[in-house]
Amino acid sequence: MQETKKTTKERHPMPEQPPELRRHNFLEVPLGYTEEMARAEASRCIQCKTPQCVLGCPVAVPIPAYIKAIAEGRFAEGIRAIWEKNALPAVCGRVCPQEIQCEGRCILGKKGSPVAIGHLERFLADWERANGDGSLPAKEAPTGKKVAVVGSGPAGLTVAGDLVLKGHDVTIFEAFHKPGGVLVYGIPEFRLPKAIVEAEVKTLEQLGVTIACNTVVGRAVDVSELLEEGFDAVFVGVGAGLPRFMNIPGENLIGVYSANEYLTRANLMKAYDPLYDTPMVPGRNVVVVGGGNVAMDAARTALRMGAESSKIVYRRSREEMPARVEEAHHAEEEGVEFLLLSSPLHFDGSSDGRLTSVTCERMTLGEPDTSGRRRPVPLEGSEFTMDCDLAIIAVGSGANPLLTSSEPSIRLNRWGNIEADPENGKTFMRGVWAGGDIVTGAATVILAMGAGRKAADSIHDYLTRGW
Amino acid sequence: MFTIVRREELVPSSVILHEIEAPRIARKAKPGQFVILKATETGERIPLTMADTDADAGTVTVIFMVVGKSTSLFATLYEGDAYSDLIGPLGRPTDIEKVGHVVCVGGGTGIAVLHPIARAMKKAGNRVTTILGARNVDFMILKEKMNALSDTFIPMSDDGSTGRQGFVTDALKEILITDKPDLVVAIGPVPMMKAVSELTRTDGIHTLVSLNPVMVDGTGMCGGCRVTVGDQTKFACVDGPEFDGHKVDFDGLSQRLQAYRKVETEAMEDHRCRMEAQARKIEQA
């Protein structure tokens, strides 16, 4: 106890692969806590009477309880405490922006660093995978009700996990050949190993969830047909998978990718692995446009694919960058260069249509716009041109109309997102719920899970008590 | 897994037909729509437009030419083998209406894509003239079927080994003068679709083409298949694959189709070397 008291101010850092090594491989960057590190870090938690951290978690994980369990070495109990609220702890521990959620509210953060809640959640999930006895959470008696979940991203997986535990018969329909949504096609291996996603999905299957891959709802079957086929409720969690382009000259040159395409080829299709058949344009001088986590993922992936230089071009300054501080920091350590206050004007190519350069202009920050961020304003005569044979556009994504256009009774807002009650996920179509990015626009994994949780509760109410 | 129930070599070792069990897709598919196939865990996703569907049997039929590693791999699948993944129906179906005289122009494996569309056009009460083009008699696939469903059937070949010697555009030129069509549907190699569209542009005859850009997901989430149509960027997988031939930027499409030519050639070479090595091993044993 003596020793832990001395170290209460700063958190225990998680060991990482050194930057010069990891920029050439796809292995996970943070290596995880050892049992000793986890127990020492868990001992920093002061077990608040009214824990703020839980309020900061969109799915209200009982944080102090599992941290106490770690401190006392009761790891199996700890993971079970998390499972009551979160079916995907190995994922959330890795990709949640804890600094603006649980850890952002930790009281220790006021005078030192907050408890490493995310690292500890990850530790328990990893410990369970390595040492657990495979025992599953208890399920309630079968209700005879059938639920269809459309999309197997974080929102859909949460709904499926919640409802199967409540005794409902759940089928997930997924358009891709693998479940996981952005967890498998978007977030790279070095941030979230795909084996972990597979393990968490497998747990759902062991609980009795059926996963029908290769099924494009909206084409192979419509939402209303699912209801006619005998599903009592449908949850739509199809995400925000429509890439935005900038509509500037040269954007259709060979070598210009949407981040969605680039990351799908790399992550889902494993283009980085010579055993897999999907090809990718190997970039030497790579430019990634955008400043979010997706841009960081793309720039870091390009380095690992052998790029000599990988640059982030972002039109605002570092402060406005929407990427997590940790991700931007990791990218920079690995050698990604940041060209801030810059925006592409046009791409240029060779006579056979291949990208050779990008011309950008410098920006300055003007008055705040509707988003509250200062609006970038071009600086006259500031154009500059860079060699570039691979450009990745990561300026956000919108709602994919494939499903929603096939079902007009699901009402949409003017951005094409589904209108759903923020409290319970109900749409304007009876028996149909929606949640995650298809409702909110591109957001975070844990917010999608939070929306899934609310929808699952509401679906359960409906199935047991009526609309 | 999606099991192959029938395999036919329409052109020996070159053009292969697979009839595949996929009841959900067979029930919903309409002419003009496509599927994405992936043969194995490590394989890539390849789009192919359906040549036929049988809702009762629960099968879809694809016809492909062996051009690279993936199609070579597909060609090694026989009856009873299976694709690991089959996704569809994808894309927008063809607008089938009674318009009068429809001229269907097909080239190469594009004939397979044209087949269900021509049949639906006929069924909708149109008078159908079909012009098929192939390098020689062996490569003119579905000849009897297309002949049977057409009011007028005009085969053309590069070497004159079937029908007349010449290009599909030679036959189309004459029809434009003698028997003006109300609609032209042209499906085949990009240069052919471009040439047909150029021919019909002067008379303003509505011309549909079916585009075949590089695709990954086929559901509109990556934009890899983007094409320029009337100065707008369209995603062929969700906005197409059919577009107004008079508005398509065929040169841009041709260029983007070359994106992976080098890696594709390397993959094919590598594949061939392995197959040959394997064959030698089998011979020695």
Side-chain angles (χ1 to χ4, degrees):
Chain A
M1 285 311 279
Q2 212 53 20
E3 203 182 288
T4 50
K5 268 186 184 153
K6 266 188 241 159
T7 57
T8 44
K9 270 202 129 131
E10 294 307 316
R11 67 165 64 186
H12 294 77
M14 184 180 278
E16 289 178 347
Q17 268 200 78
E20 57 285 3
L21 182 68
R22 71 187 194 230
R23 66 168 282 178
H24 300 297
N25 69 51
F26 277 84
L27 302 175
E28 199 172 9
V29 171
L31 302 171
Y33 278 155
T34 60
E35 290 189 13
E36 293 70 31
M37 289 175 199
R39 290 189 67 166
E41 178 61 21
S43 304
R44 292 179 62 229
C45 173
I46 58 170
Q47 296 286 316
C48 303
K49 286 256 166 15
T50 47
Q52 294 297 303
C53 53
V54 179
L55 299 177
C57 173
V59 294
V61 167
I63 293 166
Y66 82 70
I67 290 188
K68 188 157 189 272
I70 296 176
E72 293 169 3
R74 295 176 286 109
F75 302 136
E77 274 175 56
I79 186 68
R80 272 149 195 85
I82 297 179
W83 277 348
E84 281 175 25
K85 293 289 183 183
N86 182 356
L88 310 169
V91 172
C92 291
R94 287 171 165 83
V95 305
C96 274
Q98 286 100 2
E99 64 276 10
I100 56 167
Q101 293 175 337
C102 52
E103 293 177 15
R105 303 253 197 138
C106 175
I107 198 88
L108 295 190
K110 294 205 161 50
K111 284 186 176 164
S113 59
V115 173
I117 299 168
H119 290 354
L120 291 172
E121 181 178 38
R122 169 189 161 149
F123 165 76
L124 279 183
D126 291 355
W127 181 89
E128 171 69 21
R129 237 185 11 270
N131 307 294
D133 59 5
S135 66
L136 298 165
K139 266 172 75 173
E140 284 170 33
T143 61
K145 300 285 185 183
K146 285 175 68 184
V147 181
V149 172
V150 184
S152 66
L157 292 177
T158 303
V159 171
D162 282 11
L163 292 178
V164 79
L165 288 180
K166 289 182 166 133
H168 308 299
D169 179 359
V170 182
T171 303
I172 300 180
F173 294 96
E174 166 58 43
F176 266 132
H177 55 274
K178 272 190 186 153
V182 74
L183 307 177
V184 293
Y185 77 74
I187 302 174
E189 183 76 15
F190 55 83
R191 275 220 291 140
L192 178 63
K194 300 308 148 218
I196 287 171
V197 182
E198 274 169 37
E200 299 213 325
V201 169
K202 201 166 169 224
T203 306
L204 287 182
E205 287 185 294
Q206 283 167 343
L207 283 167
V209 174
T210 306
I211 303 182
C213 285
N214 296 323
T215 313
V216 185
V217 176
R219 294 272 197 227
V221 62
D222 292 332
V223 169
S224 49
E225 288 171 335
L226 290 173
L227 290 168
E228 287 158 21
E229 277 180 24
F231 286 100
D232 299 288
V234 178
F235 174 80
V236 178
V238 294
L242 186 77
R244 287 207 187 100
F245 286 92
M246 290 180 296
N247 299 316
I248 61 173
E251 218 167 1
N252 288 349
L253 288 163
I254 297 168
V256 183
Y257 284 93
S258 73
N260 269 3
E261 181 180 359
Y262 187 75
L263 292 172
T264 299
R265 284 178 180 270
N267 300 328
L268 180 72
M269 306 310 297
K270 294 193 168 31
Y272 63 82
D273 184 337
L275 286 176
Y276 285 73
D277 293 340
T278 301
M280 224 149 93
V281 166
R284 189 177 301 149
N285 296 301
V286 181
V287 166
V288 180
V289 186
N293 289 320
V294 175
M296 301 302 143
D297 287 345
R300 297 172 71 193
T301 300
L303 279 181
R304 286 160 172 78
M305 294 292 296
E308 284 166 20
S309 78
S310 180
K311 296 187 180 74
I312 294 270
V313 171
Y314 180 55
R315 61 196 185 129
R316 291 185 163 100
S317 69
R318 184 82 181 236
E319 277 163 46
E320 288 85 13
M321 220 150 71
R324 289 184 71 187
V325 171
E326 187 189 336
E327 298 309 327
H329 178 65
H330 275 149
E332 210 161 29
E333 278 184 337
E334 289 165 13
V336 172
E337 300 159 57
F338 286 37
L339 281 169
L340 302 166
L341 291 164
S342 303
S343 184
L345 285 171
H346 53 87
F347 297 106
D348 291 287
S350 57
S351 55
D352 60 351
R354 286 171 197 272
L355 176 68
T356 54
S357 70
V358 57
T359 297
C360 304
E361 63 183 343
R362 302 257 181 229
M363 316 293 277
T364 183
L365 289 182
E367 293 301 307
D369 63 12
T370 45
S371 75
R373 295 181 300 178
R374 293 175 66 194
R375 187 192 302 273
V377 183
L379 281 171
E380 285 288 323
S382 65
E383 289 180 22
F384 62 100
T385 300
M386 295 182 286
D387 282 349
C388 165
D389 55 353
L390 171 61
I392 303 162
I393 314 298
V395 296
S397 54
N400 188 326
L402 198 146
L403 179 144
T404 50
S405 62
S406 73
E407 207 65 69
S409 355
I410 298 182
R411 219 183 284 172
L412 306 179
N413 67 16
R414 62 196 181 101
W415 297 281
N417 294 110
I418 294 178
E419 283 199 34
D421 187 326
E423 287 313 307
N424 55 32
K426 279 183 179 175
T427 69
F428 281 88
M429 187 171 170
R430 191 184 162 88
V432 181
W433 283 254
D437 287 2
I438 187 61
V439 172
T440 56
T444 62
V445 168
I446 191 71
L447 282 176
M449 291 179 58
R453 164 69 34 77
K454 286 180 180 171
D457 290 344
S458 170
I459 292 170
H460 179 66
D461 276 354
Y462 167 70
L463 294 177
T464 50
R465 293 210 294 262
W467 183 258
Chain B
M1 298 296 267
F2 299 84
T3 308
I4 295 162
V5 295
R6 186 164 67 94
R7 180 189 190 273
E8 229 181 282
E9 290 200 7
L10 302 184
V11 180
S13 327
S14 176
V15 180
I16 317 279
L17 175 150
H18 276 162
E19 187 177 341
I20 311 161
E21 252 174 18
R24 217 183 242 288
I25 301 173
R27 206 162 60 218
K28 285 281 272 199
K30 294 197 176 73
Q33 290 188 303
F34 66 94
V35 289
I36 282 190
L37 303 106
K38 182 164 143 316
T40 60
E41 161 65 23
T42 55
E44 57 180 335
R45 295 165 63 103
I46 300 288
L48 287 175
T49 304
M50 287 173 274
D52 212 343
T53 54
D54 185 335
D56 298 328
T59 60
V60 304
T61 301
V62 293
I63 294 174
F64 57 90
M65 186 179 279
V66 178
V67 290
K69 183 181 175 185
S70 289
T71 41
S72 301
L73 191 64
F74 288 3
T76 63
L77 301 177
Y78 286 80
E79 277 161 33
D81 294 339
Y83 284 90
S84 68
D85 303 283
L86 176 62
I87 303 103
L90 299 169
R92 290 158 54 114
T94 312
D95 288 325
I96 306 288
E97 280 173 70
K98 186 173 176 183
V99 292
H101 182 207
V102 178
V103 174
C104 294
V105 188
T109 48
I111 297 171
V113 180
L114 187 66
H115 170 243
I117 299 170
R119 190 173 53 192
M121 286 294 179
K122 178 67 197 165
K123 210 176 150 198
N126 292 292
R127 182 160 63 86
V128 174
T129 298
T130 301
I131 308 171
L132 298 189
R135 66 178 94 145
N136 61 49
V137 61
D138 297 333
F139 280 83
M140 189 167 289
I141 59 171
L142 304 181
K143 194 176 164 190
E144 283 72 35
K145 279 190 176 180
M146 294 301 279
N147 188 2
L149 65 82
S150 310
D151 295 281
T152 310
F153 180 69
I154 310 169
M156 303 288 293
S157 56
D158 296 359
D159 64 355
S161 58
T162 181
R164 285 164 52 192
Q165 194 264 323
F167 294 125
V168 289
T169 41
D170 297 329
L172 180 62
K173 262 181 217 162
E174 291 163 19
I175 290 174
L176 289 178
I177 299 162
T178 57
D179 189 4
K180 203 175 154 181
D182 300 292
L183 171 70
V184 173
V185 184
I187 305 176
V190 177
M192 182 212 104
M193 294 192 285
K194 184 183 176 185
V196 167
S197 301
E198 287 310 323
L199 267 186
T200 56
R201 188 190 302 276
T202 359
D203 294 334
I205 296 164
H206 188 41
T207 301
L208 280 180
V209 294
S210 180
L211 306 186
N212 56 340
V214 173
M215 282 187 194
V216 185
D217 61 289
T219 60
M221 63 153 279
C222 85
C225 66
R226 59 197 190 274
V227 288
T228 309
V229 182
D231 294 331
Q232 278 188 309
T233 295
K234 298 277 185 189
F235 293 181
C237 71
V238 288
D239 300 318
E242 280 169 27
F243 294 100
D244 179 345
H246 296 154
K247 292 183 178 164
V248 170
D249 171 12
F250 288 105
D251 296 338
L253 172 65
S254 291
Q255 276 191 341
R256 282 185 65 84
L257 279 168
Q258 300 300 314
Y260 302 101
R261 194 173 47 180
K262 192 161 158 269
V263 273
E264 278 163 359
T265 317
E266 284 165 7
M268 185 61 192
E269 270 311 304
D270 182 54
H271 180 70
R272 191 175 294 151
C273 291
R274 279 166 205 259
M275 289 297 118
E276 281 168 7
Q278 219 167 43
R280 273 198 302 277
K281 249 189 221 163
I282 294 166
E283 269 170 32
Q284 281 161 9

